[in-house]
Amino acid sequence: MKIINTSRDFTKVETYLMTQDNDMKSVKSLPDGAELNVTGWMYYIDTNAKGEESELLSVIGTNAQGETEVWTCQSATFKRSFDDIYGIFGDEEFTIKKMSGVTKANKDYVNCCLKVSK
């Protein structure tokens, strides 16, 4: 595992939770509408058992119950949307919502959007 970029300095516990913990939530397994109040993020390279490398985004925050939760993904669409939101909010906390869909080529994808209170 090689850390590429982070939103801030993370403790060793946070780094473990965001890169190694079995309790990380894969974004694709989350239900549409799941929300996370983002407190930090990390891009890192992970190597699987076959030796193949993947660039992953790991996002740490609190869920609707106020519990610490980590979402992780390799989806280019999700990462692009997340980066757009972070680019506007910077170091301010914000809440994202998971969404998904199907492309014109009939492929599933995951995405996120800013959760806006009404």
Side-chain angles (χ1 to χ4, degrees):
M1 185 257 318
K2 177 184 171 191
I3 296 173
I4 300 170
N5 196 8
T6 64
S7 60
R8 61 179 170 86
D9 289 332
F10 291 104
T11 66
K12 290 178 181 180
V13 170
E14 289 172 320
T15 300
Y16 172 80
L17 293 174
M18 296 174 75
T19 61
Q20 306 296 315
D21 191 42
N22 291 325
D23 202 27
M24 287 186 290
K25 311 281 189 235
S26 171
V27 170
K28 66 183 175 183
S29 71
L30 295 168
D32 281 356
E35 298 177 5
L36 187 69
N37 183 48
V38 178
T39 58
W41 55 265
M42 173 187 298
Y43 276 100
Y44 67 100
I45 301 287
D46 192 36
T47 306
N48 67 17
K50 296 179 183 178
E52 301 164 334
E53 292 185 340
S54 298
E55 181 182 295
L56 300 171
L57 167 63
S58 197
V59 182
I60 191 167
T62 53
N63 61 23
Q65 292 74 38
E67 303 163 329
T68 298
E69 191 166 286
V70 175
W71 292 5
T72 189
C73 76
Q74 63 183 20
S75 163
T77 302
F78 187 97
K79 291 190 284 189
R80 191 169 36 255
S81 294
F82 182 85
D83 289 345
D84 289 344
I85 296 167
Y86 178 77
I88 294 170
F89 280 82
D91 293 335
E92 291 180 44
E93 289 185 17
F94 55 92
T95 301
I96 57 173
K97 183 169 61 171
K98 186 259 184 170
M99 47 198 275
S100 62
V102 179
T103 67
K104 291 179 184 177
N106 206 29
K107 293 188 178 193
D108 294 333
Y109 69 88
V110 293
N111 203 347
C112 67
C113 66
L114 180 66
K115 196 264 186 192
V116 180
S117 299
K118 293 183 180 183

PDB file of all heavy atoms in Angstrom, residues 52-88:
ATOM      1  N   GLU A  52      -1.764  -7.106  -8.940  1.00  0.00           N
ATOM      2  CA  GLU A  52      -2.323  -6.001  -9.720  1.00  0.00           C
ATOM      3  C   GLU A  52      -2.564  -4.798  -8.816  1.00  0.00           C
ATOM      4  O   GLU A  52      -3.073  -4.949  -7.698  1.00  0.00           O
ATOM      5  CB  GLU A  52      -3.642  -6.430 -10.369  1.00  0.00           C
ATOM      6  CG  GLU A  52      -3.500  -7.624 -11.276  1.00  0.00           C
ATOM      7  CD  GLU A  52      -4.832  -8.280 -11.621  1.00  0.00           C
ATOM      8  OE1 GLU A  52      -5.795  -8.164 -10.833  1.00  0.00           O
ATOM      9  OE2 GLU A  52      -4.895  -8.903 -12.684  1.00  0.00           O
ATOM     10  N   GLU A  53      -2.198  -3.621  -9.308  1.00  0.00           N
ATOM     11  CA  GLU A  53      -2.360  -2.399  -8.532  1.00  0.00           C
ATOM     12  C   GLU A  53      -3.636  -1.660  -8.920  1.00  0.00           C
ATOM     13  O   GLU A  53      -4.017  -1.642 -10.092  1.00  0.00           O
ATOM     14  CB  GLU A  53      -1.166  -1.466  -8.729  1.00  0.00           C
ATOM     15  CG  GLU A  53       0.122  -1.998  -8.135  1.00  0.00           C
ATOM     16  CD  GLU A  53       1.257  -0.996  -8.238  1.00  0.00           C
ATOM     17  OE1 GLU A  53       1.196  -0.063  -9.069  1.00  0.00           O
ATOM     18  OE2 GLU A  53       2.233  -1.156  -7.481  1.00  0.00           O
ATOM     19  N   SER A  54      -4.280  -1.038  -7.923  1.00  0.00           N
ATOM     20  CA  SER A  54      -5.464  -0.220  -8.140  1.00  0.00           C
ATOM     21  C   SER A  54      -5.324   1.052  -7.327  1.00  0.00           C
ATOM     22  O   SER A  54      -4.830   1.022  -6.194  1.00  0.00           O
ATOM     23  CB  SER A  54      -6.735  -0.939  -7.672  1.00  0.00           C
ATOM     24  OG  SER A  54      -6.934  -2.122  -8.387  1.00  0.00           O
ATOM     25  N   GLU A  55      -5.771   2.170  -7.917  1.00  0.00           N
ATOM     26  CA  GLU A  55      -5.814   3.421  -7.170  1.00  0.00           C
ATOM     27  C   GLU A  55      -7.176   3.533  -6.515  1.00  0.00           C
ATOM     28  O   GLU A  55      -8.203   3.513  -7.188  1.00  0.00           O
ATOM     29  CB  GLU A  55      -5.599   4.627  -8.082  1.00  0.00           C
ATOM     30  CG  GLU A  55      -5.625   5.939  -7.309  1.00  0.00           C
ATOM     31  CD  GLU A  55      -5.466   7.153  -8.194  1.00  0.00           C
ATOM     32  OE1 GLU A  55      -4.387   7.306  -8.792  1.00  0.00           O
ATOM     33  OE2 GLU A  55      -6.426   7.938  -8.288  1.00  0.00           O
ATOM     34  N   LEU A  56      -7.187   3.617  -5.189  1.00  0.00           N
ATOM     35  CA  LEU A  56      -8.423   3.667  -4.432  1.00  0.00           C
ATOM     36  C   LEU A  56      -8.601   5.010  -3.749  1.00  0.00           C
ATOM     37  O   LEU A  56      -7.629   5.656  -3.363  1.00  0.00           O
ATOM     38  CB  LEU A  56      -8.434   2.558  -3.366  1.00  0.00           C
ATOM     39  CG  LEU A  56      -8.314   1.136  -3.897  1.00  0.00           C
ATOM     40  CD1 LEU A  56      -8.109   0.165  -2.757  1.00  0.00           C
ATOM     41  CD2 LEU A  56      -9.547   0.763  -4.684  1.00  0.00           C
ATOM     42  N   LEU A  57      -9.846   5.403  -3.596  1.00  0.00           N
ATOM     43  CA  LEU A  57     -10.222   6.555  -2.795  1.00  0.00           C
ATOM     44  C   LEU A  57     -10.881   6.021  -1.542  1.00  0.00           C
ATOM     45  O   LEU A  57     -11.798   5.200  -1.616  1.00  0.00           O
ATOM     46  CB  LEU A  57     -11.208   7.455  -3.550  1.00  0.00           C
ATOM     47  CG  LEU A  57     -11.921   8.539  -2.720  1.00  0.00           C
ATOM     48  CD1 LEU A  57     -10.915   9.544  -2.146  1.00  0.00           C
ATOM     49  CD2 LEU A  57     -12.976   9.241  -3.565  1.00  0.00           C
ATOM     50  N   SER A  58     -10.422   6.473  -0.396  1.00  0.00           N
ATOM     51  CA  SER A  58     -11.011   6.101   0.875  1.00  0.00           C
ATOM     52  C   SER A  58     -11.478   7.389   1.549  1.00  0.00           C
ATOM     53  O   SER A  58     -10.711   8.347   1.662  1.00  0.00           O
ATOM     54  CB  SER A  58      -9.956   5.390   1.726  1.00  0.00           C
ATOM     55  OG  SER A  58     -10.544   4.684   2.777  1.00  0.00           O
ATOM     56  N   VAL A  59     -12.745   7.404   1.968  1.00  0.00           N
ATOM     57  CA  VAL A  59     -13.347   8.593   2.567  1.00  0.00           C
ATOM     58  C   VAL A  59     -13.786   8.238   3.975  1.00  0.00           C
ATOM     59  O   VAL A  59     -14.490   7.242   4.178  1.00  0.00           O
ATOM     60  CB  VAL A  59     -14.565   9.076   1.740  1.00  0.00           C
ATOM     61  CG1 VAL A  59     -15.145  10.339   2.345  1.00  0.00           C
ATOM     62  CG2 VAL A  59     -14.182   9.291   0.281  1.00  0.00           C
ATOM     63  N   ILE A  60     -13.381   9.050   4.962  1.00  0.00           N
ATOM     64  CA  ILE A  60     -13.770   8.807   6.344  1.00  0.00           C
ATOM     65  C   ILE A  60     -14.730   9.903   6.786  1.00  0.00           C
ATOM     66  O   ILE A  60     -14.619  11.055   6.343  1.00  0.00           O
ATOM     67  CB  ILE A  60     -12.533   8.738   7.275  1.00  0.00           C
ATOM     68  CG1 ILE A  60     -12.924   8.213   8.665  1.00  0.00           C
ATOM     69  CG2 ILE A  60     -11.806  10.070   7.347  1.00  0.00           C
ATOM     70  CD1 ILE A  60     -11.736   7.823   9.537  1.00  0.00           C
ATOM     71  N   GLY A  61     -15.690   9.525   7.617  1.00  0.00           N
ATOM     72  CA  GLY A  61     -16.650  10.500   8.109  1.00  0.00           C
ATOM     73  C   GLY A  61     -17.595   9.859   9.097  1.00  0.00           C
ATOM     74  O   GLY A  61     -17.293   8.801   9.669  1.00  0.00           O
ATOM     75  N   THR A  62     -18.737  10.488   9.286  1.00  0.00           N
ATOM     76  CA  THR A  62     -19.747   9.935  10.187  1.00  0.00           C
ATOM     77  C   THR A  62     -21.019   9.665   9.405  1.00  0.00           C
ATOM     78  O   THR A  62     -21.412  10.449   8.542  1.00  0.00           O
ATOM     79  CB  THR A  62     -20.036  10.892  11.360  1.00  0.00           C
ATOM     80  OG1 THR A  62     -20.346  12.185  10.861  1.00  0.00           O
ATOM     81  CG2 THR A  62     -18.852  10.987  12.298  1.00  0.00           C
ATOM     82  N   ASN A  63     -21.655   8.558   9.736  1.00  0.00           N
ATOM     83  CA  ASN A  63     -22.902   8.193   9.070  1.00  0.00           C
ATOM     84  C   ASN A  63     -24.081   8.867   9.769  1.00  0.00           C
ATOM     85  O   ASN A  63     -23.891   9.654  10.707  1.00  0.00           O
ATOM     86  CB  ASN A  63     -23.062   6.665   9.009  1.00  0.00           C
ATOM     87  CG  ASN A  63     -23.101   6.016  10.380  1.00  0.00           C
ATOM     88  OD1 ASN A  63     -23.422   6.639  11.389  1.00  0.00           O
ATOM     89  ND2 ASN A  63     -22.760   4.736  10.422  1.00  0.00           N
ATOM     90  N   ALA A  64     -25.277   8.552   9.346  1.00  0.00           N
ATOM     91  CA  ALA A  64     -26.486   9.183   9.890  1.00  0.00           C
ATOM     92  C   ALA A  64     -26.665   8.907  11.386  1.00  0.00           C
ATOM     93  O   ALA A  64     -27.316   9.682  12.081  1.00  0.00           O
ATOM     94  CB  ALA A  64     -27.719   8.707   9.118  1.00  0.00           C
ATOM     95  N   GLN A  65     -26.057   7.829  11.883  1.00  0.00           N
ATOM     96  CA  GLN A  65     -26.155   7.495  13.306  1.00  0.00           C
ATOM     97  C   GLN A  65     -25.028   8.127  14.122  1.00  0.00           C
ATOM     98  O   GLN A  65     -24.914   7.899  15.324  1.00  0.00           O
ATOM     99  CB  GLN A  65     -26.136   5.972  13.514  1.00  0.00           C
ATOM    100  CG  GLN A  65     -27.364   5.244  12.991  1.00  0.00           C
ATOM    101  CD  GLN A  65     -27.392   5.137  11.472  1.00  0.00           C
ATOM    102  OE1 GLN A  65     -26.373   4.944  10.825  1.00  0.00           O
ATOM    103  NE2 GLN A  65     -28.564   5.309  10.886  1.00  0.00           N
ATOM    104  N   GLY A  66     -24.161   8.899  13.470  1.00  0.00           N
ATOM    105  CA  GLY A  66     -23.051   9.555  14.158  1.00  0.00           C
ATOM    106  C   GLY A  66     -21.846   8.669  14.385  1.00  0.00           C
ATOM    107  O   GLY A  66     -20.915   9.039  15.087  1.00  0.00           O
ATOM    108  N   GLU A  67     -21.820   7.493  13.745  1.00  0.00           N
ATOM    109  CA  GLU A  67     -20.717   6.553  13.898  1.00  0.00           C
ATOM    110  C   GLU A  67     -19.664   6.799  12.813  1.00  0.00           C
ATOM    111  O   GLU A  67     -19.996   7.140  11.687  1.00  0.00           O
ATOM    112  CB  GLU A  67     -21.228   5.121  13.767  1.00  0.00           C
ATOM    113  CG  GLU A  67     -22.318   4.765  14.746  1.00  0.00           C
ATOM    114  CD  GLU A  67     -23.094   3.522  14.360  1.00  0.00           C
ATOM    115  OE1 GLU A  67     -23.249   3.239  13.144  1.00  0.00           O
ATOM    116  OE2 GLU A  67     -23.557   2.845  15.286  1.00  0.00           O
ATOM    117  N   THR A  68     -18.396   6.593  13.172  1.00  0.00           N
ATOM    118  CA  THR A  68     -17.320   6.708  12.190  1.00  0.00           C
ATOM    119  C   THR A  68     -17.474   5.603  11.163  1.00  0.00           C
ATOM    120  O   THR A  68     -17.713   4.442  11.508  1.00  0.00           O
ATOM    121  CB  THR A  68     -15.947   6.614  12.866  1.00  0.00           C
ATOM    122  OG1 THR A  68     -15.808   7.707  13.782  1.00  0.00           O
ATOM    123  CG2 THR A  68     -14.815   6.664  11.845  1.00  0.00           C
ATOM    124  N   GLU A  69     -17.349   5.979   9.897  1.00  0.00           N
ATOM    125  CA  GLU A  69     -17.511   5.019   8.803  1.00  0.00           C
ATOM    126  C   GLU A  69     -16.520   5.381   7.705  1.00  0.00           C
ATOM    127  O   GLU A  69     -16.189   6.554   7.520  1.00  0.00           O
ATOM    128  CB  GLU A  69     -18.946   5.094   8.284  1.00  0.00           C
ATOM    129  CG  GLU A  69     -19.327   3.984   7.333  1.00  0.00           C
ATOM    130  CD  GLU A  69     -20.831   3.922   7.118  1.00  0.00           C
ATOM    131  OE1 GLU A  69     -21.544   3.464   8.023  1.00  0.00           O
ATOM    132  OE2 GLU A  69     -21.281   4.357   6.040  1.00  0.00           O
ATOM    133  N   VAL A  70     -16.054   4.377   6.985  1.00  0.00           N
ATOM    134  CA  VAL A  70     -15.131   4.579   5.874  1.00  0.00           C
ATOM    135  C   VAL A  70     -15.732   3.971   4.619  1.00  0.00           C
ATOM    136  O   VAL A  70     -16.166   2.824   4.620  1.00  0.00           O
ATOM    137  CB  VAL A  70     -13.750   3.931   6.160  1.00  0.00           C
ATOM    138  CG1 VAL A  70     -12.844   4.058   4.941  1.00  0.00           C
ATOM    139  CG2 VAL A  70     -13.100   4.567   7.377  1.00  0.00           C
ATOM    140  N   TRP A  71     -15.778   4.782   3.569  1.00  0.00           N
ATOM    141  CA  TRP A  71     -16.214   4.317   2.247  1.00  0.00           C
ATOM    142  C   TRP A  71     -14.984   4.240   1.361  1.00  0.00           C
ATOM    143  O   TRP A  71     -14.119   5.127   1.397  1.00  0.00           O
ATOM    144  CB  TRP A  71     -17.191   5.291   1.611  1.00  0.00           C
ATOM    145  CG  TRP A  71     -18.526   5.410   2.255  1.00  0.00           C
ATOM    146  CD1 TRP A  71     -18.967   4.819   3.407  1.00  0.00           C
ATOM    147  CD2 TRP A  71     -19.618   6.191   1.767  1.00  0.00           C
ATOM    148  NE1 TRP A  71     -20.266   5.188   3.662  1.00  0.00           N
ATOM    149  CE2 TRP A  71     -20.688   6.032   2.670  1.00  0.00           C
ATOM    150  CE3 TRP A  71     -19.803   7.015   0.662  1.00  0.00           C
ATOM    151  CZ2 TRP A  71     -21.915   6.661   2.494  1.00  0.00           C
ATOM    152  CZ3 TRP A  71     -21.011   7.638   0.486  1.00  0.00           C
ATOM    153  CH2 TRP A  71     -22.068   7.459   1.392  1.00  0.00           C
ATOM    154  N   THR A  72     -14.909   3.216   0.542  1.00  0.00           N
ATOM    155  CA  THR A  72     -13.782   3.093  -0.369  1.00  0.00           C
ATOM    156  C   THR A  72     -14.265   2.675  -1.757  1.00  0.00           C
ATOM    157  O   THR A  72     -15.279   1.987  -1.880  1.00  0.00           O
ATOM    158  CB  THR A  72     -12.734   2.093   0.170  1.00  0.00           C
ATOM    159  OG1 THR A  72     -11.572   2.143  -0.631  1.00  0.00           O
ATOM    160  CG2 THR A  72     -13.261   0.694   0.203  1.00  0.00           C
ATOM    161  N   CYS A  73     -13.538   3.123  -2.786  1.00  0.00           N
ATOM    162  CA  CYS A  73     -13.908   2.749  -4.162  1.00  0.00           C
ATOM    163  C   CYS A  73     -12.747   2.983  -5.106  1.00  0.00           C
ATOM    164  O   CYS A  73     -11.784   3.674  -4.783  1.00  0.00           O
ATOM    165  CB  CYS A  73     -15.126   3.536  -4.628  1.00  0.00           C
ATOM    166  SG  CYS A  73     -14.773   5.237  -5.062  1.00  0.00           S
ATOM    167  N   GLN A  74     -12.883   2.414  -6.298  1.00  0.00           N
ATOM    168  CA  GLN A  74     -11.938   2.692  -7.377  1.00  0.00           C
ATOM    169  C   GLN A  74     -12.654   3.289  -8.586  1.00  0.00           C
ATOM    170  O   GLN A  74     -12.047   3.541  -9.616  1.00  0.00           O
ATOM    171  CB  GLN A  74     -11.140   1.451  -7.756  1.00  0.00           C
ATOM    172  CG  GLN A  74     -11.945   0.308  -8.295  1.00  0.00           C
ATOM    173  CD  GLN A  74     -11.058  -0.911  -8.564  1.00  0.00           C
ATOM    174  OE1 GLN A  74      -9.965  -1.037  -8.023  1.00  0.00           O
ATOM    175  NE2 GLN A  74     -11.543  -1.799  -9.402  1.00  0.00           N
ATOM    176  N   SER A  75     -13.938   3.555  -8.462  1.00  0.00           N
ATOM    177  CA  SER A  75     -14.738   4.094  -9.555  1.00  0.00           C
ATOM    178  C   SER A  75     -14.255   5.475  -9.987  1.00  0.00           C
ATOM    179  O   SER A  75     -14.229   6.410  -9.190  1.00  0.00           O
ATOM    180  CB  SER A  75     -16.206   4.196  -9.112  1.00  0.00           C
ATOM    181  OG  SER A  75     -16.925   5.056  -9.971  1.00  0.00           O
ATOM    182  N   ALA A  76     -13.904   5.594 -11.260  1.00  0.00           N
ATOM    183  CA  ALA A  76     -13.463   6.893 -11.788  1.00  0.00           C
ATOM    184  C   ALA A  76     -14.589   7.926 -11.708  1.00  0.00           C
ATOM    185  O   ALA A  76     -14.341   9.105 -11.423  1.00  0.00           O
ATOM    186  CB  ALA A  76     -12.978   6.732 -13.227  1.00  0.00           C
ATOM    187  N   THR A  77     -15.811   7.505 -11.942  1.00  0.00           N
ATOM    188  CA  THR A  77     -16.956   8.422 -11.889  1.00  0.00           C
ATOM    189  C   THR A  77     -17.140   8.959 -10.477  1.00  0.00           C
ATOM    190  O   THR A  77     -17.277  10.160 -10.272  1.00  0.00           O
ATOM    191  CB  THR A  77     -18.240   7.703 -12.357  1.00  0.00           C
ATOM    192  OG1 THR A  77     -18.035   7.220 -13.686  1.00  0.00           O
ATOM    193  CG2 THR A  77     -19.432   8.632 -12.327  1.00  0.00           C
ATOM    194  N   PHE A  78     -17.142   8.079  -9.489  1.00  0.00           N
ATOM    195  CA  PHE A  78     -17.296   8.494  -8.097  1.00  0.00           C
ATOM    196  C   PHE A  78     -16.156   9.427  -7.690  1.00  0.00           C
ATOM    197  O   PHE A  78     -16.381  10.483  -7.088  1.00  0.00           O
ATOM    198  CB  PHE A  78     -17.330   7.268  -7.175  1.00  0.00           C
ATOM    199  CG  PHE A  78     -17.647   7.593  -5.744  1.00  0.00           C
ATOM    200  CD1 PHE A  78     -18.937   7.476  -5.259  1.00  0.00           C
ATOM    201  CD2 PHE A  78     -16.661   8.019  -4.860  1.00  0.00           C
ATOM    202  CE1 PHE A  78     -19.252   7.762  -3.944  1.00  0.00           C
ATOM    203  CE2 PHE A  78     -16.942   8.313  -3.541  1.00  0.00           C
ATOM    204  CZ  PHE A  78     -18.243   8.188  -3.084  1.00  0.00           C
ATOM    205  N   LYS A  79     -14.913   9.050  -8.035  1.00  0.00           N
ATOM    206  CA  LYS A  79     -13.757   9.862  -7.656  1.00  0.00           C
ATOM    207  C   LYS A  79     -13.824  11.243  -8.299  1.00  0.00           C
ATOM    208  O   LYS A  79     -13.525  12.248  -7.642  1.00  0.00           O
ATOM    209  CB  LYS A  79     -12.452   9.155  -8.034  1.00  0.00           C
ATOM    210  CG  LYS A  79     -12.209   7.908  -7.189  1.00  0.00           C
ATOM    211  CD  LYS A  79     -10.820   7.318  -7.367  1.00  0.00           C
ATOM    212  CE  LYS A  79     -10.646   6.567  -8.632  1.00  0.00           C
ATOM    213  NZ  LYS A  79      -9.369   5.821  -8.704  1.00  0.00           N
ATOM    214  N   ARG A  80     -14.238  11.318  -9.545  1.00  0.00           N
ATOM    215  CA  ARG A  80     -14.340  12.601 -10.235  1.00  0.00           C
ATOM    216  C   ARG A  80     -15.371  13.503  -9.547  1.00  0.00           C
ATOM    217  O   ARG A  80     -15.121  14.676  -9.281  1.00  0.00           O
ATOM    218  CB  ARG A  80     -14.686  12.369 -11.708  1.00  0.00           C
ATOM    219  CG  ARG A  80     -14.561  13.569 -12.594  1.00  0.00           C
ATOM    220  CD  ARG A  80     -14.666  13.239 -14.086  1.00  0.00           C
ATOM    221  NE  ARG A  80     -15.605  12.180 -14.441  1.00  0.00           N
ATOM    222  CZ  ARG A  80     -15.256  10.935 -14.796  1.00  0.00           C
ATOM    223  NH1 ARG A  80     -13.991  10.584 -14.834  1.00  0.00           N
ATOM    224  NH2 ARG A  80     -16.167  10.048 -15.124  1.00  0.00           N
ATOM    225  N   SER A  81     -16.538  12.954  -9.240  1.00  0.00           N
ATOM    226  CA  SER A  81     -17.578  13.730  -8.567  1.00  0.00           C
ATOM    227  C   SER A  81     -17.133  14.159  -7.171  1.00  0.00           C
ATOM    228  O   SER A  81     -17.351  15.295  -6.754  1.00  0.00           O
ATOM    229  CB  SER A  81     -18.880  12.933  -8.471  1.00  0.00           C
ATOM    230  OG  SER A  81     -19.417  12.723  -9.754  1.00  0.00           O
ATOM    231  N   PHE A  82     -16.499  13.244  -6.442  1.00  0.00           N
ATOM    232  CA  PHE A  82     -16.013  13.566  -5.109  1.00  0.00           C
ATOM    233  C   PHE A  82     -14.983  14.692  -5.179  1.00  0.00           C
ATOM    234  O   PHE A  82     -15.033  15.646  -4.395  1.00  0.00           O
ATOM    235  CB  PHE A  82     -15.408  12.331  -4.426  1.00  0.00           C
ATOM    236  CG  PHE A  82     -14.938  12.626  -3.038  1.00  0.00           C
ATOM    237  CD1 PHE A  82     -15.823  12.575  -1.973  1.00  0.00           C
ATOM    238  CD2 PHE A  82     -13.625  12.989  -2.795  1.00  0.00           C
ATOM    239  CE1 PHE A  82     -15.403  12.886  -0.687  1.00  0.00           C
ATOM    240  CE2 PHE A  82     -13.192  13.299  -1.523  1.00  0.00           C
ATOM    241  CZ  PHE A  82     -14.083  13.247  -0.463  1.00  0.00           C
ATOM    242  N   ASP A  83     -14.051  14.596  -6.120  1.00  0.00           N
ATOM    243  CA  ASP A  83     -13.029  15.635  -6.271  1.00  0.00           C
ATOM    244  C   ASP A  83     -13.649  16.990  -6.602  1.00  0.00           C
ATOM    245  O   ASP A  83     -13.179  18.034  -6.129  1.00  0.00           O
ATOM    246  CB  ASP A  83     -12.020  15.255  -7.353  1.00  0.00           C
ATOM    247  CG  ASP A  83     -11.103  14.111  -6.940  1.00  0.00           C
ATOM    248  OD1 ASP A  83     -11.046  13.780  -5.732  1.00  0.00           O
ATOM    249  OD2 ASP A  83     -10.447  13.544  -7.835  1.00  0.00           O
ATOM    250  N   ASP A  84     -14.699  16.998  -7.414  1.00  0.00           N
ATOM    251  CA  ASP A  84     -15.396  18.256  -7.744  1.00  0.00           C
ATOM    252  C   ASP A  84     -15.997  18.889  -6.490  1.00  0.00           C
ATOM    253  O   ASP A  84     -15.881  20.101  -6.275  1.00  0.00           O
ATOM    254  CB  ASP A  84     -16.503  18.016  -8.775  1.00  0.00           C
ATOM    255  CG  ASP A  84     -15.975  17.695 -10.159  1.00  0.00           C
ATOM    256  OD1 ASP A  84     -14.772  17.941 -10.430  1.00  0.00           O
ATOM    257  OD2 ASP A  84     -16.773  17.190 -10.975  1.00  0.00           O
ATOM    258  N   ILE A  85     -16.635  18.058  -5.660  1.00  0.00           N
ATOM    259  CA  ILE A  85     -17.244  18.577  -4.425  1.00  0.00           C
ATOM    260  C   ILE A  85     -16.158  19.088  -3.486  1.00  0.00           C
ATOM    261  O   ILE A  85     -16.238  20.203  -2.963  1.00  0.00           O
ATOM    262  CB  ILE A  85     -18.103  17.489  -3.731  1.00  0.00           C
ATOM    263  CG1 ILE A  85     -19.281  17.091  -4.625  1.00  0.00           C
ATOM    264  CG2 ILE A  85     -18.604  17.988  -2.373  1.00  0.00           C
ATOM    265  CD1 ILE A  85     -20.004  15.826  -4.177  1.00  0.00           C
ATOM    266  N   TYR A  86     -15.114  18.282  -3.289  1.00  0.00           N
ATOM    267  CA  TYR A  86     -14.027  18.694  -2.405  1.00  0.00           C
ATOM    268  C   TYR A  86     -13.353  19.970  -2.921  1.00  0.00           C
ATOM    269  O   TYR A  86     -12.965  20.833  -2.133  1.00  0.00           O
ATOM    270  CB  TYR A  86     -12.988  17.574  -2.241  1.00  0.00           C
ATOM    271  CG  TYR A  86     -11.837  18.008  -1.381  1.00  0.00           C
ATOM    272  CD1 TYR A  86     -11.979  18.068   0.003  1.00  0.00           C
ATOM    273  CD2 TYR A  86     -10.628  18.401  -1.942  1.00  0.00           C
ATOM    274  CE1 TYR A  86     -10.939  18.501   0.808  1.00  0.00           C
ATOM    275  CE2 TYR A  86      -9.579  18.839  -1.143  1.00  0.00           C
ATOM    276  CZ  TYR A  86      -9.747  18.891   0.226  1.00  0.00           C
ATOM    277  OH  TYR A  86      -8.714  19.330   1.014  1.00  0.00           O
ATOM    278  N   GLY A  87     -13.237  20.100  -4.241  1.00  0.00           N
ATOM    279  CA  GLY A  87     -12.616  21.286  -4.824  1.00  0.00           C
ATOM    280  C   GLY A  87     -13.333  22.570  -4.436  1.00  0.00           C
ATOM    281  O   GLY A  87     -12.715  23.633  -4.331  1.00  0.00           O
ATOM    282  N   ILE A  88     -14.619  22.493  -4.220  1.00  0.00           N
ATOM    283  CA  ILE A  88     -15.400  23.667  -3.803  1.00  0.00           C
ATOM    284  C   ILE A  88     -15.352  23.848  -2.291  1.00  0.00           C
ATOM    285  O   ILE A  88     -15.155  24.958  -1.799  1.00  0.00           O
ATOM    286  CB  ILE A  88     -16.858  23.540  -4.290  1.00  0.00           C
ATOM    287  CG1 ILE A  88     -16.896  23.599  -5.822  1.00  0.00           C
ATOM    288  CG2 ILE A  88     -17.741  24.624  -3.673  1.00  0.00           C
ATOM    289  CD1 ILE A  88     -18.226  23.246  -6.442  1.00  0.00           C
TER     290      ILE A  88
END
